[in-house]
Amino acid sequence: MTTLKALSTAANPASARDLAVARRAIAVERAGLEALEASLDANFVAAIDRIVDAPGRVVVSGMGKSGHVARKIAATFASTGTPAQFVHPAEASHGDLGMITPADVVLALSNSGETVEMTDLVGYSRRFAIPLIAITAREKSALATAADIVLLLPAAEEACPVGLAPTTSTTMQLALGDAIAVALMERRGFTAAHFREFHPRGALGARLAKVGDLMHTDLPLASPGQKMADVLIKMTAKRFGCVAVVDAQGWLAGIVTDGDLRRHMAPDLLDRPVDAVMTRNPRAVAPDTLAAEALALMNAHQITALFACETHEGQRRPVGILHIHDLLRAGVA
């Protein structure tokens, strides 16, 4: 059976042409991004200042392909700590202007700066003194002239062969939106913990879950001096495959695992004290450790369970236990 991998560009000239076209398109867009990077100036900083100072939302708007980019920028803002929403410029003229308040900032995208559908939204922002930030390629356009701050896209060739389809221009818009979002994250000290608040589900939420979110608090515990016969009963009842040995103050003294049982297997095992079998100074994690880090520790040392401990003056007190199955169920593993 013929597969795509079996096709060679030498045997298929059309494939070679397609690859050449694709590489040329990427090179053209890369040149646009390099020009954009070099063009950033004080206006970018002013835009960040204006957004940070606004008590309301960032209202992002655009028409056509710019509108699709605007929707993505608004979504990126919202998920990274900057309240935002997309308002369609045509719908704005039919009542959605009411979504925009004087506390907001408008971020308007139009490559030409002459998009007719943006007229009412731009006029509304001027009438009610709502800050207007424009992303456009034309410095003398109607949008640029009306805006408080202009983020000017540099002159760049579109990647399409006829130079008309928005390609490089929309890539620059998207990259500039991402740059604004990242700069705002840095300004606001947005962390992975904040990120998880907006992404509780799916792969991102799983990757950012903490041990404390997944651990069990009904712990298998034993005391120093206990006979292994009693310890085995606790291990079997809790079904984690291990027991933490804690002293009278609740500090972790050691751990007994299935591996310890195999290593100390002898006729007198059940009569021996747990102190003689346990592993001292076992590996443990803090409850605020990322679950992904706990998984990496488990994989590195080939263990299936970890105790979560609170630490005080070098002493560790078990407060939870995390099993590899918990990570599997949460989608971390």
Side-chain angles (χ1 to χ4, degrees):
M1 182 177 66
T2 303
T3 65
L4 289 176
K5 290 183 179 180
L7 296 175
S8 68
T9 56
N12 190 338
S15 297
R17 286 195 300 271
D18 291 343
L19 289 173
V21 168
R23 290 178 177 128
R24 185 179 70 240
I26 292 171
V28 169
E29 296 200 6
R30 181 170 60 244
L33 291 176
E34 290 172 351
L36 175 64
E37 179 185 7
S39 73
L40 295 180
D41 57 17
N43 279 2
F44 182 86
V45 179
I48 301 301
D49 288 338
R50 190 64 61 93
I51 293 172
V52 169
D53 291 341
R57 298 175 179 269
V58 181
V59 176
V60 192
S61 188
M63 192 70 190
K65 304 300 185 293
S66 294
H68 294 306
V69 174
R71 285 182 185 274
K72 190 273 179 186
I73 292 174
T76 300
F77 284 172
S79 69
T80 54
T82 297
Q85 69 184 86
F86 172 79
V87 173
H88 194 287
E91 296 294 341
S93 299
H94 295 273
D96 283 1
L97 285 173
M99 296 180 178
I100 309 172
T101 75
D104 298 330
V105 174
V106 173
L107 178 62
L109 283 69
S110 172
N111 192 52
S112 69
E114 301 293 347
T115 305
V116 174
E117 291 86 353
M118 300 285 289
T119 302
D120 290 338
L121 188 149
V122 170
Y124 184 85
S125 74
R126 303 300 77 196
R127 186 160 62 253
F128 292 98
I130 299 169
L132 174 62
I133 302 169
I135 295 179
T136 181
R138 297 186 181 178
E139 189 174 10
K140 302 299 183 182
S141 64
L143 177 60
T145 302
D148 298 298
I149 300 169
V150 178
L151 301 179
L152 195 64
L153 300 176
E157 176 189 0
E158 296 287 11
C160 84
V162 295
L164 295 176
T167 46
T168 306
S169 58
T170 49
T171 297
M172 289 192 296
Q173 288 177 340
L174 186 60
L176 186 54
D178 286 343
I180 294 170
V182 171
L184 290 168
M185 291 174 69
E186 292 278 353
R187 279 279 194 101
R188 290 177 165 143
F190 194 84
T191 66
H194 297 126
F195 195 83
R196 184 174 181 267
E197 292 176 6
F198 302 124
H199 301 78
R201 302 278 182 181
L204 285 175
R207 284 173 54 194
L208 295 171
K210 293 183 178 180
V211 169
D213 300 323
L214 305 177
M215 70 186 188
H216 303 267
T217 55
D218 184 15
L219 304 181
L221 301 177
S223 302
Q226 273 194 304
K227 287 189 176 182
M228 283 301 301
D230 297 327
V231 173
L232 279 174
I233 292 173
K234 293 186 177 182
M235 284 183 66
T236 304
K238 298 299 183 180
R239 299 184 179 181
F240 291 113
C242 62
V243 168
V245 182
V246 297
D247 63 19
Q249 288 73 43
W251 302 121
L252 182 65
I255 185 174
V256 177
T257 67
D258 292 334
D260 293 315
L261 297 180
R262 289 191 296 272
R263 285 187 290 272
H264 291 85
M265 187 61 65
D268 66 341
L269 174 62
L270 297 183
D271 292 323
R272 298 181 69 183
V274 68
D275 314 58
V277 177
M278 71 182 186
T279 297
R280 300 178 187 276
N281 298 316
R283 293 178 180 86
V285 292
D288 61 354
T289 302
L290 287 176
E293 294 179 19
L295 174 62
L297 184 62
M298 288 180 177
N299 287 335
H301 299 285
Q302 298 182 342
I303 54 181
T304 59
L306 278 172
F307 280 94
C309 296
E310 294 177 347
T311 303
H312 181 68
E313 295 182 352
Q315 299 275 21
R316 298 180 295 175
R317 176 178 284 110
V319 294
I321 185 171
L322 181 70
H323 196 275
I324 188 77
H325 292 164
D326 302 318
L327 299 172
L328 289 168
R329 281 191 293 270
V332 178

